[in-house]
Amino acid sequence: MATRRKPDQTAPEPVSPTGVKTGDLGAVDSRAQSGNHLTTAQGLRLPDTDHSLKAGERGPTLLEDFHLREKITHFDHERIPERVVHARGAAAHGVFTSYGTGASITRAGFLAEKGKETEVFVRFSTVLGSKGSADTVRDTRGFATKFYTDEGNFDLVGNNMPVFFIQDGIKFPDIIHAGKPQPDREIPQAQSAHDTFWDFVSLHTEATHHVFWNMSDRGIPRSFRTMEGFGVHTFRLVNAAGESHLVKFHWKPVAGVHSLVWEEAQIAAGVDPDFHRRDLADAIEAGAFLEWDLGVQVLPDDGTETFEGIDLLDPTKFVPEELAPVQLLGRLALNRNPTNYFAETEQVAFHTGHLVPGIEVTNDPLMQARMFSYLDTQLTRLGGPNFSQLPINRPHVPVNDMLRDGMHQTAIHTGVAPYRPNSLDGGLPAVDLENGYVQTPRRIEGNAVRANPLSFEDHFTQAALFYRSLTPLEQAHIAEAFTFELGKCFEQSIKERELTVLAQVDADLCATVAAGLGLPMPTGLTEVGEVELSPALSQIVEVPGPIAGRKIGVIVDDASDLGGVRAMRKALLKLGAELLIIAPTGGFVGKGRSGETVQRTPLTARSIEFDAVLVAGGTAHAPDIKTVVLLQEMYRHCKAVGAWGDGVEVLTASGIPADGPGVLHGDSADKTFIAELVAALGLHRAWDRADLVMANAV
Ligand code: HDD
């Protein structure tokens, strides 16, 4: 495991904010800390920071105490407004390596050149919750990537779902006002399970498709590493010859797409609200880096802006991968945790308008509004127009703009002529006619209207396509999610209205939800007819995937086979997975050099943390109620459980059927048993247990 570095060692190298020569002063400005002594902001060394300056030991504090005033004043202003959406987030640095396969479709160097490495910063987020809300709530996840390319920063500001609630950005405040906590009592936090959300989406049926994704397992990812990412909109890529294609961006997780189960997500929200953020940071620190392939679906730019009847300007629609396979462009590895949350994760500013030559936006009306919003929001959030000078936002190439002054200006600009044309600064900065960013000339004409194309009116076909492409188990999760969320609404009319929406997507689903709510199935409505299914949408895998970042708990006591535990840890570590020892008390189990440090006890262990829990052979203690709950939750959530040797007795005593589906059992912690465990982890869940669990067999 990597050791934590001291802050001083990771202090960023001084960089000039502008790339223009500013002399030493400009460079020193970017250093937040240096030296070992406590100073004021003016560099004055201090002998005492614990006592204010008073008129006598029992007297009042003196106005003269400049240190007290500086310390308190700065503290009073430590907070900045949280993001109006996506406030809760976690991030990491990494590197993107191009496969060199993009050259035929884009001139963007970071995609076109084989082996080219580009530094990146990725921030994951939930949409609705406040900055301190829980990670595992049911919500869409943000997946925003800043590529520090040789041609300037490119931001791909995407989500973990390929469609959006609204077709036109002018409605963004409406969907967000509806989803955020209700304005009278400011509850519920970070939830869509309340009246205003369902009021809006049941009236505003273009949200239906995205709502289906939110109600699916995609709304509760297991980890950031197991989330797919999507650029959502259609982009235009242009190659060196000036030829253009329309594309949809995809992030394909190397670890596969996996989710929590709903009860797990709810428990985690209380037991460990930092579940995803902790997982991200711990994994990187342990060297189990997170990886994705970036890919595109390439579609003809033939002037129709449609593909196989799908309107490419409608962000509530996606293109099934069976119709246009994802072509891989390169691999992203997240390999470094931020040094300081505020400086990096909080102050990073993404913008859909941060583009590089070869990548352009389209007329998607959602994207068009975003082109305004992202720059605008930073003015309030980061306090003025100079946020691109913040270290995390600076491009890794020279900057030579003619933007000047303003709040929080940290650059010391030279020259006298921040205007063009000029003669006083030698005519510089020069424009680059050859390599500068140009939008592909495109003809635009039309009457000024507030209207949508007709194709935008189909709100249900793709929701049905998504739902029907999933396995029965995944469909059952969707039905359960709708029933849960609508069950949390107070207004009967809202539930009834949403049922009329569901009836127009899929009658069977509607009937299940209606039954769960105890409401009649609406009549006289027609569901979507037969659709071409897209099996690629299902997350359930039959071939085991990688297990990096997974956690395995092993229940032991002094009598356990700790040699077997060590063999297992060694094998798992090689695959990037971590083994944690769970024992009756903290401290140490076993004797002397053959003993093991205890990492969890029944008090500190909860099932949500583990992808598998095993009982070591020889473990002799009768399980206490917390251990029983731990094992039963593991079983109920269809995660791997098992034992070797007589450890199986602890399972049986906990009510886990030793011959139950997906229950692992070996004579010892030998290679075969470990291989079975690795395969079970790679499948993510023992889904063949799901029917039993649903029937409340345990
Ligand atoms: Fe947005 C943040 C993703 C539509 C306005 N958005 C934000 C973030 C992500 C997305 C991942 C967090 C960035 C970060 O980590 O700092 N947003 C999307 C996607 C959308 C989308 C995938 C649709 C396809 N957004 C959207 C619309 C608008 C906005 C239609 C406004 C018209 N989004 C914002 C914002 C935020 C933001 C208010 C809040 C904080 C920020 O930008 O920097 O400007």
Side-chain angles (χ1 to χ4, degrees):
M1 176 164 306
T3 46
R4 282 185 192 278
R5 286 165 292 188
K6 288 185 190 144
D8 266 353
Q9 288 171 290
T10 53
E13 281 299 306
V15 186
S16 159
T18 59
V20 177
K21 276 195 176 173
T22 55
D24 283 344
L25 266 182
V28 170
D29 269 353
S30 68
R31 299 193 73 145
Q33 288 157 281
S34 53
N36 289 328
H37 287 97
L38 175 70
T39 72
T40 65
Q42 304 307 312
L44 176 72
R45 286 194 184 184
L46 292 165
D48 179 350
T49 188
D50 300 331
H51 302 91
S52 52
L53 190 68
K54 296 190 292 268
E57 281 165 9
R58 305 173 71 83
T61 302
L62 300 179
L63 186 61
E64 182 192 323
D65 189 351
F66 57 84
H67 174 48
L68 167 77
R69 277 189 290 130
E70 182 187 70
K71 189 172 174 181
I72 299 293
T73 303
H74 196 279
F75 170 76
D76 289 345
H77 297 270
E78 269 177 15
R79 298 285 173 272
I80 60 171
E82 66 175 32
R83 287 168 174 80
V84 60
V85 285
H86 296 267
R88 171 82 182 167
H93 295 270
V95 62
F96 175 78
T97 310
S98 167
Y99 292 144
T101 44
S104 60
I105 46 168
T106 179
R107 61 184 273 222
F110 81 103
L111 293 176
E113 208 181 303
K114 188 168 181 195
K116 172 93 190 153
E117 293 191 348
T118 302
E119 289 178 279
V120 299
F121 189 68
V122 177
R123 183 174 181 273
F124 303 103
S125 47
T126 51
V127 180
L128 290 177
S130 294
K131 195 167 170 284
S133 58
D135 280 346
T136 58
V137 295
R138 181 178 294 286
D139 197 355
T140 305
R141 298 299 186 287
F143 190 142
T145 309
K146 191 177 284 295
F147 295 86
Y148 301 94
T149 87
D150 292 349
E151 299 169 288
N153 288 352
F154 167 57
D155 292 353
L156 185 55
V157 198
N159 279 341
N160 74 328
M161 299 177 187
V163 292
F164 206 66
F165 291 107
I166 51 174
Q167 293 165 325
D168 187 321
I170 198 168
K171 284 184 281 194
F172 193 62
D174 300 292
I175 174 69
I176 299 303
H177 287 170
K180 281 273 185 183
Q182 298 198 187
D184 48 358
R185 302 177 187 188
E186 223 203 13
I187 48 177
Q189 178 56 240
Q191 315 265 328
S192 52
H194 57 107
D195 284 79
T196 53
F197 178 79
W198 290 99
D199 182 32
F200 178 76
V201 299
S202 60
L203 289 166
H204 172 82
T205 50
E206 76 194 41
T208 306
H209 189 189
H210 192 163
V211 168
F212 267 69
W213 281 78
N214 263 25
M215 294 305 116
S216 79
D217 294 342
R218 307 275 178 149
I220 42 172
R222 156 65 180 85
S223 149
F224 296 136
R225 87 159 63 231
T226 59
M227 284 183 350
E228 231 170 331
F230 301 89
V232 182
H233 311 278
T234 304
F235 288 74
R236 178 171 278 110
L237 294 191
V238 185
N239 65 17
E243 295 153 348
S244 68
H245 291 90
L246 298 180
V247 302
K248 295 272 193 186
F249 281 106
H250 292 246
W251 286 113
K252 294 278 181 196
V254 171
V257 188
H258 300 297
S259 294
L260 299 171
V261 297
W262 180 228
E263 189 187 48
E264 227 182 346
Q266 288 178 298
I267 297 173
V271 171
D272 185 8
D274 307 309
F275 187 77
H276 286 146
R277 159 185 302 208
R278 186 188 311 285
D279 174 76
L280 170 72
D282 282 357
I284 291 178
E285 195 161 300
F289 301 148
L290 294 81
E291 293 181 308
W292 285 262
D293 278 326
L294 178 68
V296 277
Q297 290 175 291
V298 182
L299 314 163
D301 190 8
D302 56 10
T304 64
E305 291 166 333
T306 58
F307 180 74
E308 300 275 341
I310 300 162
D311 193 328
L312 298 175
L313 297 190
D314 178 352
T316 67
K317 310 275 164 45
F318 71 104
V319 177
E321 289 183 30
E322 287 77 4
L323 299 181
V326 176
Q327 303 178 22
L328 302 185
L329 299 175
R331 178 156 293 191
L332 164 71
L334 295 183
N335 55 16
R336 183 161 63 90
N337 282 315
T339 304
N340 183 276
Y341 185 90
F342 183 83
E344 299 170 86
T345 312
E346 193 60 11
Q347 294 203 112
V348 66
F350 294 94
H351 176 20
T352 49
H354 292 164
L355 296 162
V356 292
I359 306 180
E360 299 179 26
V361 299
T362 53
N363 292 342
D364 171 344
L366 189 70
M367 173 54 109
Q368 294 284 317
R370 294 181 76 192
M371 294 297 276
F372 166 73
S373 183
Y374 287 80
L375 187 55
D376 179 56
T377 199
Q378 315 305 348
L379 301 181
T380 300
R381 200 169 74 77
L382 298 171
N386 289 315
F387 58 86
S388 53
Q389 292 179 5
L390 293 166
I392 193 67
N393 293 325
R394 283 179 209 158
H396 293 184
V397 289
V399 171
N400 196 351
D401 58 40
M402 294 189 293
L403 311 171
R404 289 293 180 274
D405 309 343
M407 298 281 268
H408 316 305
Q409 177 60 256
T410 58
I412 301 176
H413 291 103
T414 57
V416 293
Y419 54 82
R420 274 183 48 86
N422 74 64
S423 65
L424 293 177
D425 281 350
L428 298 176
V431 293
D432 186 343
L433 293 174
E434 213 175 310
N435 299 310
Y437 187 92
V438 279
Q439 276 85 358
T440 305
R442 59 185 203 274
R443 192 170 174 75
I444 298 175
E445 59 182 7
N447 297 326
V449 286
R450 293 190 185 275
N452 277 339
L454 201 60
S455 68
F456 278 39
E457 278 175 25
D458 176 5
H459 299 166
F460 300 137
T461 307
Q462 283 212 339
L465 155 63
F466 173 61
Y467 176 73
R468 293 178 193 164
S469 297
L470 302 179
T471 59
L473 181 76
E474 292 166 304
Q475 291 179 344
H477 289 170
I478 292 184
E480 192 185 68
F482 271 109
T483 315
F484 174 90
E485 298 248 330
L486 291 168
K488 291 277 182 177
C489 292
F490 290 99
E491 296 290 340
Q492 211 58 2
S493 59
I494 292 176
K495 302 181 199 184
E496 285 165 5
R497 193 165 56 228
E498 184 58 23
L499 287 178
T500 67
V501 175
L502 297 186
Q504 293 173 77
V505 178
D506 190 274
D508 286 346
L509 169 67
C510 183
T512 310
V513 177
L517 294 172
L519 288 172
M521 169 89 181
T523 52
L525 295 163
T526 315
E527 66 170 0
V528 170
E530 209 170 302
V531 286
E532 186 104 9
L533 299 184
S534 168
L537 292 168
S538 170
Q539 302 183 200
I540 293 184
V541 288
E542 276 158 21
V543 180
I547 65 159
R550 300 292 182 150
K551 287 190 177 156
I552 296 90
V554 182
I555 297 172
V556 300
D557 58 25
D558 283 329
S560 301
D561 166 23
L562 297 177
V565 170
R566 272 188 292 278
M568 183 167 283
R569 178 189 291 122
K570 202 169 152 200
L572 291 171
L573 260 180
K574 273 193 196 148
L575 300 170
E578 192 182 358
L579 183 146
L580 296 165
I581 304 262
I582 309 168
T585 63
F588 211 67
V589 276
K591 292 210 176 68
R593 292 176 64 189
S594 60
E596 286 283 331
T597 303
V598 177
Q599 284 135 323
R600 299 288 184 275
T601 67
L603 264 183
T604 57
R606 191 73 195 252
S607 67
I608 50 134
E609 187 180 8
F610 304 106
D611 297 284
V613 170
L614 304 173
V615 185
T619 305
H621 68 280
D624 61 305
I625 183 65
K626 286 194 162 58
T627 304
V628 171
V629 169
L630 169 70
L631 287 165
Q632 291 203 351
E633 280 178 0
M634 293 297 297
Y635 190 77
R636 200 160 68 240
H637 301 155
C638 298
K639 294 196 278 196
V641 283
W644 70 88
D646 51 7
V648 74
E649 286 165 26
V650 176
L651 284 188
T652 316
S654 304
I656 308 297
D659 56 352
V663 177
L664 308 169
H665 192 211
D667 294 336
S668 64
D670 59 9
K671 276 190 183 151
T672 316
F673 184 64
I674 294 172
E676 274 175 32
L677 170 67
V678 170
L681 286 163
L683 289 173
H684 184 58
R685 307 266 166 178
W687 288 125
D688 48 354
R689 205 187 289 154
D691 284 345
L692 267 182
V693 169
M694 278 188 175
N696 292 329
V698 167

